[in-house]
C-alpha cells in the first residue's frame, strides 16, 4: 500500500460524523417532532456541512430511516439464546427498554411518521420494515433449524411488537415483564 492510499478505520471521522448526525436527528425529533426541522438544522447541530449529509444519505427520509434502523440494531439486536422462547423474550425485553428509554418515543414517532410522508418517506419506511423483518426472519429460521415450530415474522410484529408500540405511542401503561411475557406466551 502506498502513502496515498488510506485505510478506513472504524471509529474514525466518518463514524464520528455519523454519530453526531444521528444524535442531532434524535434530539430534534424529541424537541420538535418529525417534519419540524431541516437538513441544515441537523447539520448545524451536528457540526457538519449539510452537503456532507446529502452526500452520505441522499435525502432526509433516507437519513431518518438510517437513524431508526441503526438505533434498533444497536440496542435491540437479534438474540441467539438457543431457543425461540428465550430469543423472543430477550428480544421483546430489549425492544421494550428501547422504546421506553429517553429517546425511544422519538425514534418510534419517526418510524411512524416516515410511512406517511410521501413517496420518499414511504420508501424509507418500507426499507426499515423490510430490514427489520429480515432480521426477525433470521432468528425464526435458526429456531426452525433447531427443530422448533416458529411463527411467521409478521406474527411476531403483530403479536409482540405492535402491542408494545401502541402502548408507548398512546401512553397506555408500562411495558412490564409480565406484560411482555404474556405477549410471547400468546404467540407461542
Amino acid at each position: 500500500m502506498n502513502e496515498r492510499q488510506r485505510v478506513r478505520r472504524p471509529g474514525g471521522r466518518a463514524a464520528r460524523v455519523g454519530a453526531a448526525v444521528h444524535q442531532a436527528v434524535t434530539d430534534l425529533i424529541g424537541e420538535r417532532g418529525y417534519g419540524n426541522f431541516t437538513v441544515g438544522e441537523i447539520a448545524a447541530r451536528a457540526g457538519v456541512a449539510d452537503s456532507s449529509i446529502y452526500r452520505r444519505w441522499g435525502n432526509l427520509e433516507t437519513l431518518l430511516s438510517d437513524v431508526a434502523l441503526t438505533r434498533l440494531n444497536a440496542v435491540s439486536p437479534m438474540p441467539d439464546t438457543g431457543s425461540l422462547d428465550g430469543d423472543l423474550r430477550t428480544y421483546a425485553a430489549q425492544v421494550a427498554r428501547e422504546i421506553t428509554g429517553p429517546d425511544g418515543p422519538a425514534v418510534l414517532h419517526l418510524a411512524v411518521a416516515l410511512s406517511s410522508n410521501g413517496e420518499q418517506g414511504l420508501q424509507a419506511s418500507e426499507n426499515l420494515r423490510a430490514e427489520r423483518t429480515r432480521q426477525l426472519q433470521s432468528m425464526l429460521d435458526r429456531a426452525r433449524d433447531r427443530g422448533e415450530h416458529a411463527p411467521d415474522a409478521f406474527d411476531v410484529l403483530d403479536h409482540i411488537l405492535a402491542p408494545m408500540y401502541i402502548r408507548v405511542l398512546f401512553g397506555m401503561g408500562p411495558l412490564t415483564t409480565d406484560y411482555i411475557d404474556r405477549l410471547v406466551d400468546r404467540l407461542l
Side-chain angles (χ1 to χ4, degrees):
M1 177 171 23
N2 67 39
E3 291 179 66
R4 293 179 176 229
Q5 292 176 317
R6 291 187 174 217
V7 176
R8 287 206 175 260
R9 294 171 293 149
R13 184 182 188 304
R16 287 190 305 275
V17 167
V21 169
H22 278 217
Q23 189 59 54
V25 167
T26 302
D27 291 347
L28 285 165
I29 290 169
E31 292 168 14
R32 301 182 191 174
Y34 175 78
N36 297 316
F37 53 87
T38 65
V39 169
E41 290 171 308
I42 295 167
R45 185 166 291 203
V48 302
D50 56 352
S51 60
S52 295
I53 293 174
Y54 285 115
R55 187 172 40 257
R56 187 166 182 175
W57 287 280
N59 59 51
L60 181 59
E61 288 76 17
T62 301
L63 168 59
L64 297 176
S65 175
D66 185 51
V67 167
L69 186 59
T70 299
R71 180 98 181 165
L72 286 171
N73 288 339
V75 296
S76 300
M78 290 300 137
D80 188 359
T81 65
S83 74
L84 181 59
D85 182 78
D87 290 351
L88 288 174
R89 289 181 199 287
T90 301
Y91 177 64
Q94 289 171 345
V95 170
R97 276 191 304 277
E98 169 57 17
I99 64 177
T100 59
D103 295 330
V107 174
L108 197 52
H109 284 282
L110 165 62
V112 171
L114 276 172
S115 65
S116 61
N117 188 38
E119 185 68 31
Q120 286 181 332
L122 185 58
Q123 184 62 49
S125 175
E126 287 175 12
N127 291 345
L128 176 63
R129 182 194 46 77
E131 177 58 21
R132 207 53 177 165
T133 302
R134 184 195 63 73
Q135 293 171 354
L136 275 171
Q137 192 60 54
S138 70
M139 178 176 60
L140 299 171
D141 289 344
R142 278 196 317 267
R144 284 188 191 96
D145 291 345
R146 291 188 299 258
E148 296 178 83
H149 173 73
D152 180 82
F154 284 107
D155 288 336
V156 175
L157 294 172
D158 288 342
H159 297 282
I160 296 177
L161 299 180
M164 291 193 306
Y165 293 168
I166 293 297
R167 276 193 174 218
V168 170
L169 284 170
F170 294 105
M172 297 171 56
L175 299 179
T176 65
T177 302
D178 288 341
Y179 175 73
I180 294 165
D181 284 343
R182 283 194 312 271
L183 292 175
V184 174
D185 289 342
R186 277 186 236 148
L187 176 63
L188 295 177

